[in-house]
Amino acid sequence: MASKSKRALMNPKREFKKTFFYWAVAIFIVKLITIFNIQGNAWLGADGENYISAYEALLRDGLFSSERLLHYWPAGYPIFLLMISFLGKAWLFATLTILQSLIYSAAVFYFTYQLSKTKLRNYSFLVMLFLLLNPTLSLASICVGYESLAASGLLITLGLLIQDLTSNSSKVFKRNIILAAITIGFISFFQPRLLLSGLVGIAIWVLVR
């Protein structure tokens, strides 16, 4: 027992990593149980019905559908639903919510672990609990809506930024800036206005670096 405590004190980052991983997995499992115990395997978000209607139009008419919703609504999320439906239309919403929940748990783990390497490490566990247990943020991954994926993308981008600033390596900088650009591009596919804030954030990152 003494040697275990000594190892923990000598390598606190490893202990943070294990703790964060266990919590992320535990919350993901709770979500899995929830997903398979709710009707339709998903909750409708604020615009859930509109996304489903747009998805059904794409399914019926293809990518060049003339559905009115697709004229003024970002088509990214309905297209994402269409892509997931190729894995099995009967399990569309189960696949969607499991994937969103997995991505969110992974994003929270990655962000908070990177945060634990900074001077804010004493608060990183509380941040992790807030992100994993906050109903608005965490339960969005069980809803039909892009919000959970957008939040996950922002957390991943922040994690990449922190990892770069704490590593002080040009190789890590190049890799992380590319990954951040890809991540922002992915979430901007669902909500185009995120592109502007993402580009501004990357520009500030490059200047600070």
Side-chain angles (χ1 to χ4, degrees), residues 2-115:
S3 60
K4 250 186 180 180
S5 301
K6 190 176 180 181
R7 284 199 303 269
L9 288 170
M10 289 175 65
N11 196 355
K13 289 181 182 177
R14 185 179 177 186
E15 293 304 309
F16 271 120
K17 188 174 184 178
K18 285 170 62 178
T19 302
F20 294 162
F21 178 77
Y22 293 149
W23 270 92
V25 170
I27 296 301
F28 175 66
I29 291 171
V30 170
K31 287 185 180 180
L32 276 182
I33 295 170
T34 304
I35 288 167
F36 288 105
N37 280 279
I38 56 177
Q39 188 175 2
N41 305 121
W43 290 321
L44 290 179
D47 302 307
E49 291 183 3
N50 290 326
Y51 289 128
I52 292 172
S53 297
Y55 154 72
E56 290 173 345
L58 289 172
L59 196 63
R60 183 179 62 250
D61 306 325
L63 289 175
F64 300 101
S65 171
S66 58
E67 170 64 37
R68 187 172 61 89
L69 277 171
L70 294 168
H71 290 174
Y72 62 88
W73 212 268
Y77 195 73
I79 292 173
F80 182 66
L81 293 178
L82 182 66
M83 293 168 63
I84 292 177
S85 71
F86 294 149
L87 299 174
K89 295 181 180 65
W91 290 95
L92 169 64
F93 296 115
T95 305
L96 173 70
T97 50
I98 290 171
L99 182 60
Q100 289 183 162
S101 298
L102 181 62
I103 291 172
Y104 185 75
S105 284
V108 171
F109 165 74
Y110 176 68
F111 168 68
T112 52
Y113 176 57
Q114 296 306 323
L115 191 66

Side-chain angles (χ1 to χ4, degrees), residues 110 114 117 159-167 172 175-176:
Y110 176 68
Q114 296 306 323
K117 299 177 183 178
L160 290 167
L161 169 62
I162 294 170
Q163 185 183 38
D164 170 48
L165 295 178
T166 54
S167 70
V172 172
R175 183 196 66 196
N176 285 18

